[in-house]
Amino acid sequence: MRVAIAQSAPVYLDKRASLRKVLNLIQQAAKSGARLVAFGETWLPGYPAWLDVCPGAGLWENPCTKDVFAKLRDNSITVPGEEVNALSEAARDLNIAIVIGANERVDAGPGIGTLYNSLLTISEDGRLGNHHRKLVPTYTERLVWGNGDGRGLEAVPTSAGRVGGLICWEHWMPLARMAMHNSGEHIHVAVWPTVHELHQLASRHYAFEGRCFVLAVGLMMPTGDLPHELRNDVTSRPGDSRWIEHGGGAIIGPDSQYVIEPVFDREELLVSDLDLTQIDRESMTFDVSGHYARPDLFRFEKKDTDAN
């Protein structure tokens, strides 16, 4: 089973140009023979790295931050919506499943005005198979995103196998992991801003615990993409990379060993063939949702609450 990671920078805070780029990358992945292609956290239209690297971005009533947030909100997508329709059409035309992170905007009904850090899974028939919202935004992220719900904590069938995903620090939430393990993942997409050492550890642990393949997907973001409204106080040190987000994409087997080792500081389509029978072999020693779950001793329950 051939899969791909599209380690590439979006056109920052420009959802229309980013959509054109993502459709081109999906075509490239399909031409490589991939049945699944994955993109990083909030790829549409980029991760708000300015929260952490621009001094004063989080100060109350900062007019520059308000301007940048307004641009982020205007360039966030709705689900369903024009961008999802375009991705679904590409998936159907190219016979490829897509997993992509996005900034999602609620435009009507309860929750109107809220942004979510979302992960969309579109199957090869063009169906939106899963719509997951990050359960708890991490630290400074809470300034821009709301809390998600439990509806997307599941794997969905695709021609590449059962595919699930979590967003960033959700990989340290034991019960979120258990919900995903119980859904029977063959391939797990772990999306991050950058897959640095700590994130690599979490991704490898997830593969070992879940006895599944993990596509650890990081974003690329050039320093020049930092919003000009907030960039004045950002200084570079000698030796600093031109990247704010460095990628680090990797593919990990169900034995926790790398199929593709992490790739940093360059945009690249990472492609690999996966032998899904390896899941069966590795399940001999540990099956987290099987007899190791001990349902006679423990009870697990997931509530599919609505974030709105």
Side-chain angles (χ1 to χ4, degrees):
M1 180 60 59
R2 181 163 294 181
V3 300
I5 290 174
Q7 180 163 289
S8 181
V11 183
Y12 198 65
L13 296 184
D14 187 334
K15 67 178 176 182
R16 290 176 179 82
S18 292
L19 180 62
R20 290 193 293 270
K21 184 171 184 177
V22 78
L23 293 175
N24 181 57
L25 289 166
I26 293 167
Q27 278 196 331
Q28 292 179 39
K31 286 179 180 178
S32 77
R35 306 294 295 274
L36 168 70
V37 59
F39 295 80
E41 183 176 0
T42 60
W43 200 94
L44 284 170
Y47 182 80
W50 37 271
L51 287 168
D52 295 317
V53 301
C54 296
L59 293 178
W60 180 258
E61 292 290 348
N62 184 333
C64 294
T65 302
K66 286 185 175 183
D67 289 344
V68 175
F69 177 79
K71 190 179 296 184
L72 173 64
R73 190 175 185 279
D74 183 53
N75 281 275
S76 296
I77 71 169
T78 58
V79 183
E82 176 184 346
E83 293 76 23
V84 176
N85 291 341
L87 291 168
S88 296
E89 183 178 347
R92 185 170 54 251
D93 290 348
L94 298 168
N95 194 35
I96 188 172
I98 302 164
V99 178
I100 187 167
N103 289 275
E104 178 195 353
R105 184 182 70 244
V106 177
D107 265 359
I112 187 170
T114 300
L115 299 186
Y116 291 105
N117 179 339
S118 297
L119 189 64
L120 309 178
T121 303
I122 300 171
S123 57
E124 68 285 345
D125 60 1
R127 180 179 56 88
L128 178 60
N130 201 9
H131 173 198
H132 171 56
R133 291 168 169 170
K134 189 174 184 180
L135 299 175
V136 182
T138 305
Y139 199 53
T140 53
E141 293 176 356
R142 298 175 200 182
L143 292 172
V144 296
W145 294 317
N147 282 350
D149 53 60
R151 292 175 298 172
L153 292 175
E154 60 181 357
V156 295
T158 74
S159 60
R162 291 186 59 80
V163 176
L166 290 175
I167 303 168
C168 199
W169 279 49
E170 290 181 326
H171 290 87
W172 283 288
M173 298 175 70
L175 299 184
R177 295 201 312 268
M178 193 64 198
M180 296 305 301
H181 297 330
N182 283 345
S183 71
E185 293 174 292
H186 297 127
I187 299 172
H188 175 83
V189 179
V191 296
W192 311 88
T194 294
V195 194
H196 59 56
E197 185 176 356
L198 192 61
H199 300 160
Q200 293 170 35
L201 179 63
S203 299
R204 294 183 68 185
H205 172 266
Y206 192 98
F208 186 87
E209 181 180 76
R211 289 307 198 248
C212 61
F213 287 90
V214 169
L215 275 56
V217 190
L219 277 175
M220 301 297 295
M221 179 180 174
T223 303
D225 278 357
L226 285 173
H228 67 85
E229 296 92 337
L230 296 167
R231 199 163 49 198
N232 292 339
D233 294 332
V234 178
T235 57
S236 297
R237 297 183 298 273
D240 277 359
S241 169
R242 74 182 186 92
W243 299 103
I244 292 291
E245 304 297 353
H246 301 260
I251 298 178
I252 305 156
D255 58 355
S256 81
Q257 299 303 304
Y258 283 116
V259 177
I260 293 180
E261 297 208 3
V263 175
F264 290 98
D265 294 327
R266 68 175 185 267
E267 296 187 86
E268 185 173 335
L269 187 69
L270 308 176
V271 179
S272 180
D273 291 313
L274 307 183
D275 177 7
L276 298 187
T277 66
Q278 190 178 353
I279 295 171
D280 297 317
R281 292 194 292 273
E282 295 303 325
S283 293
M284 180 177 182
T285 49
F286 185 67
D287 187 346
V288 70
S289 293
H291 61 282
Y292 260 94
R294 289 302 303 271
D296 55 321
L297 299 178
F298 307 110
R299 183 173 61 199
F300 178 84
E301 179 185 6
K302 178 173 74 74
K303 299 178 180 179
D304 296 334
T305 55
D306 191 330
N308 291 338

